[in-house]
């Protein structure tokens, strides 16, 4: 089974933002969420795939293997991410498999890019920031 | 859960302890609206010997339900909890995690609250006295000046255009 869009996010505020964007877009395509360490199995009718959480430790290797498995199995056409660390292995695999990767930087990154954002910006095809000042500083996309 | 009563306290999904916030809660728990529900993350042990409902984490739907059904929300300065509170027209009391205390990996929460200071969408506190004043004067019952933070409408529209173009091109080439 393949899907059109994979939405990758940490739980909490990142996931809330992803959910708002997905609801607002109202796209007629198949979509699944990938979240770490969450009890959530469904969000607004979309299936949620749960993977291991890595807190900047060795478990990122397992996350990377999970990202490879998910991307190879589902073959998404686009990956949308709202951060944070969970999106790093997915952005890397997306880059290697030429899957389009769209990242929306966290709203809490007001003065500078988040740590994960800095890494993801290397691999993402489209990188959005949430503050005009930060867009001027970094050269990434800001939509008012 | 009772309707619009009680206090919901959230430490967010950060896997780091936040003793300053735990201490603020414990020092003031007697004046907080009851019942008290705490999503404590790794701080759970701090609240074990009290008559609170405490758990480490919950799913997004449960989380929103606690926000919707509480009259007072106290949170770390995470965007998720703040935006969820605003969506129910509730003005949360927030405490920013600081790097110098090992509460987060950087000071983005401090920068974030500074950006929105005096905009009337949340209260920012650092000291026990500030929390006490807001609770005793019932200022937390004020409505926030906005029901959202970081509108995603135009952003979603821009992303939608990219996604539609990519999917169209991929389906064409198949």
């Amino acid at each position: 089974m393949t899907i059109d869009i994979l939405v990758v996010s940490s739980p909490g505020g990142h996931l809330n933002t992803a959910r708002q964007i997905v609801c607002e877009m109202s796209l007629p395509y198949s979509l699944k969420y990938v979240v770490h360490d969450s009890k959530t199995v469904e969000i607004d009718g979309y299936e949620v795939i749960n993977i291991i959480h890595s807190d900047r430790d060795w478990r990122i290797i397992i996350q990377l293997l999970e990202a490879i498995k998910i991307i190879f199995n589902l073959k998404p056409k686009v990956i949308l991410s709202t951060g944070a660390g969970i999106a790093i292995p997915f952005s890397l695999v997306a880059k290697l498999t030429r899957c389009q990767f769209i990242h929306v930087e966290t709203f809490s990154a007001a003065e500078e890019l988040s740590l994960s954002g800095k890494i993801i910006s290397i691999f993402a095809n489209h990188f959005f920031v949430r503050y005009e000042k930060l867009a001027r500083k970094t050269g990434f996309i800001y939509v008012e | 859960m009772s309707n619009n009563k009680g206090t919901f306290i959230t430490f967010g999904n950060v896997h780091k302890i936040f003793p300053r916030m735990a201490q603020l809660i414990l020092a003031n728990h007697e004046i907080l609206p009851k019942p008290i529900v705490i999503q404590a993350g790794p701080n759970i042990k701090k609240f074990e010997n009290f008559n609170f409902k405490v758990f480490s984490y919950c799913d997004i739907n449960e989380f929103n339900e606690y926000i919707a059904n509480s009259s007072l929300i106290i949170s770390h300065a995470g965007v998720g909890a703040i935006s969820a509170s605003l969506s129910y027209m509730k003005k949360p009391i927030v405490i920013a995690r600081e790097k110098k205390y090992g509460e987060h990996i950087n000071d983005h929460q401090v920068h974030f609250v500074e950006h929105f200071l005096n905009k009337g969408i949340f209260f920012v506190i650092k000291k026990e006295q500030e929390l006490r004043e807001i609770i005793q004067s019932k200022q937390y019952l004020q409505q926030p000046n906005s029901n959202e933070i970081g509108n995603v409408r135009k952003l979603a529209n821009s992303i939608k255009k990219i996604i539609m173009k990519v999917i169209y091109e991929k389906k064409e080439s198949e």
Side-chain angles (χ1 to χ4, degrees):
Chain A
M1 181 196 168
T2 62
I3 56 154
D4 295 315
I5 306 162
L6 198 63
V7 181
V8 181
S9 169
S10 296
H14 300 276
L15 185 56
N16 254 345
T17 303
R19 191 180 180 181
Q20 286 170 359
I21 292 170
V22 169
C23 289
E24 195 65 42
M25 289 194 298
S26 184
L27 286 165
Y29 303 125
S30 55
L31 182 149
K32 286 184 188 204
Y33 282 89
V34 179
V35 180
H36 69 68
D37 213 13
S38 163
K39 293 175 184 168
T40 310
V41 292
E42 188 189 291
I43 296 172
D44 304 323
Y46 297 110
E47 186 191 332
V48 176
I49 302 167
N50 273 288
I51 68 167
I52 195 167
H53 173 56
S54 161
D55 198 9
R56 287 168 292 280
D57 54 30
W58 61 271
R59 287 172 295 185
I60 196 159
I61 295 165
I62 300 177
Q63 264 195 348
L64 179 64
L65 295 173
E66 290 190 283
I68 292 168
K69 187 180 163 194
I70 291 167
I71 291 175
F72 272 81
N73 281 345
L74 296 177
K75 298 182 176 54
K77 293 178 178 67
V78 181
I79 298 176
L80 170 65
S81 122
T82 48
I86 185 175
I88 295 172
F90 282 86
S91 64
L92 171 62
V93 181
K95 182 79 178 175
L96 295 173
T97 56
R98 296 186 179 188
C99 173
Q100 287 284 309
F101 195 94
I102 303 168
H103 178 74
V104 178
E105 183 66 323
T106 170
F107 195 63
S108 62
E111 300 285 326
E112 56 181 25
L113 294 183
S114 64
L115 185 60
S116 55
K118 283 175 189 164
I119 300 168
I120 293 164
S121 68
I122 301 166
F123 307 119
N125 301 89
H126 307 273
F127 194 99
F128 290 86
V129 293
R130 308 296 302 280
Y131 297 87
E132 198 173 0
K133 190 178 159 192
L134 189 57
R136 280 201 300 269
K137 189 175 165 184
T138 60
F140 293 120
I141 314 164
Y142 168 72
V143 181
E144 193 184 334
Chain B
M1 281 179 289
S2 53
N3 193 29
N4 280 315
K5 286 178 184 170
T7 304
F8 179 53
I9 297 160
T10 171
F11 285 79
N13 286 297
V14 181
H15 290 240
K16 284 186 180 294
I17 56 166
F18 194 0
R20 281 192 308 131
M21 179 164 149
Q23 187 51 41
L24 277 171
I25 304 303
L26 291 174
N28 290 284
H29 73 93
E30 285 174 359
I31 59 167
L32 298 178
K34 309 290 184 301
I36 297 172
V37 179
I38 306 178
Q39 179 268 305
N43 305 277
I44 196 160
K45 285 191 175 167
K46 293 262 184 193
F47 304 105
E48 273 176 349
N49 301 321
F50 296 87
N51 190 24
F52 310 144
K53 178 175 180 180
V54 190
F55 47 87
S56 295
Y57 301 99
C58 61
D59 84 11
I60 192 168
N61 300 317
E62 261 183 284
F63 185 85
N64 287 336
E65 207 177 319
Y66 284 121
I67 297 262
N69 293 331
S70 303
S71 58
L72 170 60
I73 293 132
I74 302 175
S75 173
H76 80 143
V79 175
I82 294 171
S83 61
S85 304
L86 298 179
S87 69
Y88 291 101
M89 285 310 280
K90 292 176 183 181
K91 196 171 176 177
I93 298 173
V94 307
I95 307 155
R97 291 176 181 265
E98 295 188 34
K99 185 186 175 186
K100 67 181 175 190
Y101 299 121
E103 297 159 354
H104 217 312
I105 55 163
N106 55 30
D107 279 328
H108 73 269
Q109 288 201 350
V110 178
H111 300 148
F112 174 69
V113 296
E114 279 169 0
H115 198 85
F116 288 95
L117 269 185
N118 306 320
K119 299 224 167 136
I121 53 175
F122 49 71
F123 300 100
V124 184
I125 59 157
K126 279 190 169 181
K127 296 174 187 161
E128 193 183 319
Q129 186 56 30
E130 293 168 323
L131 177 62
R132 193 166 278 272
E133 275 172 22
I134 294 166
I135 294 166
Q136 286 176 334
S137 62
K138 294 198 184 295
Q139 287 178 65
Y140 64 88
L141 294 174
Q142 292 169 1
Q143 289 217 325
N145 289 344
S146 172
N147 67 346
E148 62 185 7
I149 190 166
N151 189 320
V152 297
R153 214 159 291 132
K154 288 182 181 171
L155 172 66
N157 200 32
S158 297
I159 295 170
K160 183 177 182 175
K161 284 178 188 164
I162 296 170
I163 290 177
M164 290 184 79
K165 186 170 180 279
V166 170
I167 292 179
Y168 176 78
E169 285 172 357
K170 289 212 173 180
K171 286 194 172 167
E172 280 287 292
S173 66
E174 279 171 6

